[in-house]
Amino acid sequence: MDRLKITGGKPLSGTIPISGAKNSALKLMAAALLTPEPVTFTNMPRLADTRFLSQLLQTLGVEVYWPKGDSECRLNAAELTSTIAPYEQVRKMRASFNVLGPLLARYGHATVSLPGGCAIGARPVDLHLKAFEAMGADLVVEEGYVKAAAIRGLKGAQINFPFVSVGATEHAMLAAVLAEGETVLENAAREPEIADLADCLNAMGAKVSGGGTATVTIQGVETLHGTTHPVMPDRIEAGTYAMAVAAAGGDVTLTNAPVAALSALTGALRDAGVTVETDKAAGTIRIARNGRRLQAVSVDTAPHPGFPTDLQAQFMALMTLAEGTSVIRENIFENRFMHAPELSRLGANIAVRGHEAIVKGVETLKGAPVMATDLRASVSLVIAGLAAQGETEVNRIYHLDRGFEKLEEKLSGVGADIRRVGGEEE
Ligand code: UD1
């Protein structure tokens, strides 16, 4: 099993290019199922998760043209050979569940494995299923599979989500674009990836308005066509590197960065005393911290435009070194503090009480072996390792490979001492 060895305490300087957004890419790839014409994505991140999904799409009969090393990927769902997404594939990555909506909308039936829980919580899909039922689908859950049918096609519906869900909003959009009539999604999630999906669907001939706002209106169309769509830049990757620089010190410019999408984080970083200069038009964010100690800042995670849950672990890593006490509240997932005990192994002072973590800043962290438990938690350990004195070894880094493209390359490019080593866990 591969591990990362990091020798911390080196300030970072230079430029880090930001890749395409994983969370956007996964929904965009599912959208390619909606049309018999090829859809090409540029700025497609090469990650374990996008690879898993392309393998599932191939199982369904989609032709995938994605040469090794290339960030352009073409998906052609001209003739599908199956509408069944098996457990072995959906289990590997939750977002695979998103093929259900497009298959149901285009073919009138689909059988997709339930994704199950994951390390950060139960993560049910009840809102997704209720949305399809509202659109007239018959659903049966049997032996861990959702069997869905809409023999006469899906019908537009008024859907009021009882709480905000990114996945359910996107999934409902992926089905409603080919439903008959109008669908209105109320209390929709407002994440920028949803606006990206709406843009791509509209470029395919769909009629979606309000994507990225709390009310999304979709006029169903009969067919969709191919297009070329650039995947938006990854705000979580950009935010993660911003915090790596804030933690380790130095001066780094992030390029191809989604500036507007990161305002909750850039505000918190400024409050912590980090220099943050953004240029929306150029898509750059300069992050600098030279010498001055960080100040403690408290954050509460919330749906966009609030502080993203996917940056909570990284922010906690940063706050372990701040002057003062920071309270970090996790409001989206019930079990998302697994990084806290690992950060404590490096000398952090964190007390977890329910959905609150109280972080008392320490002056220094010291390297130690630690274990990655999920995607964002594992990168928080990398951030702490970059700031810690001595060597940190991060085990189980397959989590990192799910969501961070060329992580070691990007960090060593700005002067970090980080390398991947193979072999068994010690
Ligand atoms: C997406 C992101 C994930 C991010 C999360 C919140 C992808 C691939 N993943 O996940 O990185 O952390 O948004 O920003 O885009 N819920 C239900 N029933 C449902 C759906 C959700 O109870 O049918 C709950 C979830 O368990 C969670 C909350 O709603 O507690 C929000 O989840 P949701 O916004 O749906 O997250 P995901 O789309 O799974």
Side-chain angles (χ1 to χ4, degrees):
M1 213 181 277
D2 284 357
R3 293 163 290 156
L4 280 181
K5 285 200 181 215
I6 303 165
T7 304
K10 299 192 167 46
L12 309 178
S13 74
T15 302
I16 302 180
I18 300 306
S19 298
K22 169 182 88 76
N23 284 355
S24 207
L26 297 173
K27 322 307 163 61
L28 294 168
M29 291 170 85
L33 286 169
L34 288 162
T35 171
E37 294 182 15
V39 180
T40 301
F41 297 109
T42 57
N43 202 34
M44 178 59 84
R46 295 197 73 93
L47 302 165
D49 273 12
T50 47
R51 204 174 55 241
F52 287 149
L53 186 54
S54 72
Q55 284 162 358
L56 169 60
L57 294 176
Q58 280 172 312
T59 305
L60 302 175
V62 176
E63 265 180 52
V64 177
Y65 179 73
W66 195 4
K68 214 168 185 276
D70 209 332
S71 61
E72 186 170 310
C73 144
R74 191 176 70 230
L75 304 177
N76 187 347
E79 277 173 61
L80 292 193
T81 49
S82 165
T83 55
I84 303 174
Y87 173 67
E88 297 70 47
Q89 285 176 303
V90 179
R91 169 182 71 90
K92 279 192 193 162
M93 205 249 312
R94 289 181 51 81
S96 307
F97 188 67
N98 282 300
V99 300
L100 175 60
L103 290 175
L104 183 61
R106 184 165 156 207
Y107 288 91
H109 58 90
T111 300
V112 176
S113 169
L114 283 166
C118 70
I120 63 174
R123 297 182 88 176
V125 287
D126 52 323
L127 298 187
H128 302 227
L129 302 185
K130 279 190 191 127
F132 300 140
E133 275 176 338
M135 289 184 223
D138 292 316
L139 304 179
V140 186
V141 178
E142 245 174 34
E143 295 167 348
Y145 279 79
V146 179
K147 296 179 179 168
I151 307 302
R152 270 167 248 99
L154 294 171
K155 306 266 180 294
Q158 168 80 32
I159 297 165
N160 302 313
F161 291 113
F163 54 89
V164 171
S165 160
V166 177
T169 302
E170 293 167 331
H171 210 170
M173 286 164 64
L174 283 166
V177 284
L178 287 181
E180 189 190 326
E182 183 179 89
T183 298
V184 180
L185 309 178
E186 295 285 4
N187 198 23
R190 291 179 282 162
E191 268 62 7
E193 291 75 18
I194 294 170
D196 197 25
L197 177 62
D199 287 347
C200 177
L201 291 169
N202 286 337
M204 292 166 71
K207 292 189 175 145
V208 181
S209 60
T213 74
T215 306
V216 183
T217 306
I218 303 135
Q219 299 291 342
V221 296
E222 280 197 9
T223 52
L224 294 173
H225 53 74
T227 191
T228 295
H229 179 82
V231 180
M232 71 168 285
D234 197 316
R235 63 194 167 99
I236 305 304
E237 188 200 19
T240 298
Y241 290 129
M243 287 189 268
V245 180
D251 193 336
V252 168
T253 299
L254 310 175
T255 57
N256 185 35
V259 175
L262 273 167
S263 56
L265 174 71
T266 47
L269 287 178
R270 286 192 181 110
D271 291 346
V274 179
T275 302
V276 182
E277 285 170 10
T278 58
D279 184 336
K280 243 189 223 173
T284 58
I285 305 179
R286 177 178 162 243
I287 304 288
R289 185 177 68 83
N290 293 310
R292 267 182 57 203
R293 194 168 171 200
L294 293 158
Q295 297 302 303
V297 174
S298 294
V299 294
D300 288 19
T301 65
H304 193 77
F307 193 93
T309 175
D310 285 352
L311 291 176
Q312 176 260 106
Q314 300 89 315
F315 196 76
M316 189 184 296
L318 189 64
M319 287 298 105
T320 62
L321 285 163
E323 190 174 353
T325 299
S326 151
V327 179
I328 297 177
R329 277 192 203 92
E330 172 56 53
N331 296 316
I332 311 291
F333 293 109
E334 72 266 30
N335 186 23
R336 210 175 196 180
F337 283 144
M338 274 104 61
H339 40 284
E342 297 299 312
L343 290 169
S344 301
R345 292 177 54 78
L346 302 174
N349 180 347
I350 306 168
V352 172
R353 285 192 209 114
H355 69 132
E356 235 176 51
I358 294 118
V359 186
K360 291 198 172 121
V362 294
E363 285 202 13
T364 48
L365 296 177
K366 289 214 171 64
V370 286
M371 189 85 83
T373 48
D374 68 66
L375 171 57
R376 311 305 178 186
S378 47
V379 88
S380 78
L381 302 174
V382 172
I383 292 177
L386 290 169
Q389 291 173 354
E391 191 174 89
T392 294
E393 189 176 285
V394 184
N395 289 288
R396 301 207 176 153
I397 54 168
Y398 50 84
H399 292 292
L400 279 176
D401 295 331
R402 287 191 37 218
F404 289 91
E405 192 181 47
K406 299 184 184 155
L407 176 99
E408 305 99 274
E409 207 177 295
K410 288 186 185 186
L411 284 171
S412 3
V414 290
D417 183 343
I418 178 168
R419 60 194 193 284
R420 186 179 287 245
V421 291
E424 289 302 306
E425 275 174 39
E426 283 157 17

